[in-house]
Amino acid sequence: MINNKLMISRGFTLIEVMLAMAVFAIAGLSLLSAASNNARNMGHLEDKMFANWVASNQLVAANLEKKWPPKNNVKGEVELASRQWFWQQKVLKTTDKNMRAIVVEVRLHEEDKLAISSLTTYVSKVEQ
């Protein structure tokens, strides 16, 4: 004869199982959201890195030129990483008449209002 008092109920109740499933579902959604944000940010960081390279290359080219930079804007496009990048060079006056600031802005689309990257350098007039 089996003593019913010694038998202990083993297992989980339905409420405990549902609560555990809810906790795992919320954790899964949080993880999925974090992965999605990470993937979206990686694409933006890649664009920003390539745009910085384009801007840096244009500033090096401007520094290598022997002529004093004009005060007008210059635009162009260049291919990098199998994409077209649109850059604009702006030459600005400074408080020193023998120096000018060169700002290069890079966009992925020519009509974009905001630049992905913007770098600035200063050049001085070489006395001859």
Side-chain angles (χ1 to χ4, degrees):
M1 187 161 161
I2 299 175
N3 189 352
N4 287 336
K5 293 181 182 178
L6 293 177
M7 291 186 65
I8 300 173
S9 175
R10 297 183 192 263
F12 297 105
T13 65
L14 181 60
I15 293 175
E16 290 171 332
V17 170
M18 290 180 67
L19 182 62
M21 287 177 60
V23 168
F24 284 123
I26 291 171
L29 286 175
S30 298
L31 191 61
L32 187 61
S33 175
S36 172
N37 285 338
N38 187 30
R40 188 173 36 249
N41 289 337
M42 287 295 282
H44 176 71
L45 288 176
E46 183 180 270
D47 288 348
K48 193 154 184 69
M49 179 185 67
F50 287 136
N52 278 333
W53 286 353
V54 170
S56 180
N57 289 343
Q58 295 307 315
L59 288 178
V60 168
N63 278 326
L64 290 176
E65 286 188 23
K66 300 295 181 194
K67 65 179 185 171
W68 182 239
K71 293 184 213 170
N72 57 1
N73 298 337
V74 179
K75 291 182 178 183
E77 63 182 270
V78 66
E79 183 179 339
L80 180 68
S82 301
R83 288 195 275 182
Q84 288 298 111
W85 298 90
F86 298 91
W87 58 269
Q88 180 177 13
Q89 173 182 305
K90 298 176 185 177
V91 179
L92 308 171
K93 282 185 176 181
T94 62
T95 55
D96 184 350
K97 66 179 181 169
N98 292 320
M99 287 193 76
R100 290 199 178 143
I102 301 176
V103 179
V104 175
E105 295 178 342
V106 179
R107 293 169 174 79
L108 196 50
H109 305 288
E110 194 170 14
E111 64 276 357
D112 289 347
K113 291 187 180 191
L114 295 175
I116 295 175
S117 177
S118 177
L119 294 179
T120 303
T121 192
Y122 295 90
V123 293
S124 63
K125 189 180 239 184
V126 177
E127 299 295 325
Q128 296 176 350

